[in-house]
Amino acid sequence: QVQLVESGGGLVQAGGSLRLSCAASGRTISSYAMGWFRQAPGKEREFVSAISWNSYITDYTDSVKGRFTISRDNAKNTVSLQMNSLEPEDTAVYYCEASRVYSGSAYSRYDYWGQGTQVTVSS
């Protein structure tokens, strides 16, 4: 089993930055692909970004390209999402997810997920 705990969310003004972190425990995630998803009130959970186990592949949804950067540190068993130039539309609960194979935006293929961290961007 992999336990994932997100942190780093909060309230920020539009144009600001936040760095989300995901700490894994239970087993190493060095062989897992990782992803970030988000869910706004009344909306479906949507893909934000994904990274392969060796960081060679990264993917982003169009709305965050050029603003968000995903990274991982397998030695520390963590994954991060640097979010810059935040917009009110980025307001959501952000979830970290792990997949045994690279799954990109395919939410149903992820095997583990955390409880989420709230990001609120004020205009």
Side-chain angles (χ1 to χ4, degrees):
Q1 287 283 356
V2 176
Q3 290 80 43
L4 302 172
V5 178
E6 304 92 338
S7 63
L11 173 63
V12 64
Q13 288 188 331
S17 298
L18 284 173
R19 185 176 181 86
L20 303 185
S21 294
C22 173
S25 61
R27 62 173 62 181
T28 177
I29 58 169
S30 60
S31 63
Y32 284 76
M34 302 298 294
W36 287 95
F37 288 73
R38 66 187 180 187
Q39 188 166 18
K43 294 188 176 182
E44 297 286 321
R45 188 170 298 196
E46 68 168 345
F47 170 75
V48 177
S49 182
I51 188 167
S52 61
W53 69 273
N54 55 8
S55 302
Y56 285 4
I57 302 172
T58 59
D59 195 14
Y60 300 91
T61 192
D62 286 346
S63 63
V64 308
K65 285 180 180 176
R67 300 189 298 122
F68 290 12
T69 303
I70 191 170
S71 61
R72 66 188 299 159
D73 187 334
N74 286 340
K76 294 182 178 179
N77 231 25
T78 60
V79 178
S80 297
L81 185 69
Q82 177 66 43
M83 306 188 296
N84 299 328
S85 302
L86 283 161
E87 303 168 354
E89 293 74 22
D90 296 317
T91 295
V93 177
Y94 283 71
Y95 298 90
C96 173
E97 311 207 3
S99 174
R100 293 182 178 88
V101 297
Y102 187 76
S103 299
S105 61
Y107 171 69
S108 63
R109 296 179 63 184
Y110 284 82
D111 304 292
Y112 304 102
W113 50 92
Q115 293 299 307
T117 185
Q118 175 70 48
V119 171
T120 303
V121 184
S122 63
S123 57

